[in-house]
Amino acid sequence: MSYEAKMIILSTENLDESITFYTETLGMSLKFRDGAHFAALDGGPVTIALATAVDHPIPGKVVVGIKTADVDAAAKAIEADGGAIVKGPYDDAHERRAVVYDNQGNGLVFYSPLNR
């Protein structure tokens, strides 16, 4: 099974201020925004996501988004090897997801686009 680290999800309490910081200070372009709670910025090969507690998988933590073909198998592997499942696997509006901690307590989100 292949895994691709595609996104780093950062916490913010003020999405507008965070977007301004990353676009004006760091020169990243805004790829997508969902209201006042989520934005994705072009960080080159990795997307930098900014999320408030409404949309953040583990608020207050840095979480790495990893694309995989089999979210369920990835979550089982994490649990079998000393990590923990926080939420999932589950389907949201766009993708199958599982929110997990690795064996050292780092947050990961495994995701796979839904074929709809």
Side-chain angles (χ1 to χ4, degrees):
M1 185 175 353
S2 76
Y3 298 97
E4 283 184 273
K6 303 285 276 183
M7 183 180 300
I8 298 170
I9 307 162
L10 305 175
S11 288
T12 182
E13 292 181 14
N14 186 317
L15 190 64
D16 289 328
E17 285 181 8
S18 292
I19 289 170
T20 298
F21 180 85
Y22 281 87
T23 58
E24 293 181 11
T25 304
L26 298 179
M28 293 181 180
S29 60
L30 183 65
K31 291 169 50 169
F32 172 80
R33 179 177 182 154
D34 187 3
H37 47 87
F38 183 87
L41 298 138
D42 186 353
V46 175
T47 296
I48 302 297
L50 305 169
T52 65
V54 171
D55 258 355
H56 201 291
I58 310 172
K61 298 271 190 183
V62 174
V63 175
V64 177
I66 299 175
K67 187 175 182 181
T68 183
D70 192 340
V71 169
D72 296 65
K76 283 181 187 163
I78 285 284
E79 198 170 40
D81 287 335
I85 296 175
V86 177
K87 183 178 180 186
Y90 66 97
D91 292 346
D92 72 4
H94 308 286
E95 58 198 16
R96 181 116 180 113
R97 293 176 150 196
V99 180
V100 303
Y101 286 119
D102 71 8
N103 64 340
Q104 299 298 311
N106 297 298
L108 307 173
V109 174
F110 290 112
Y111 69 94
S112 182
L114 293 173
N115 296 323
R116 290 189 174 162

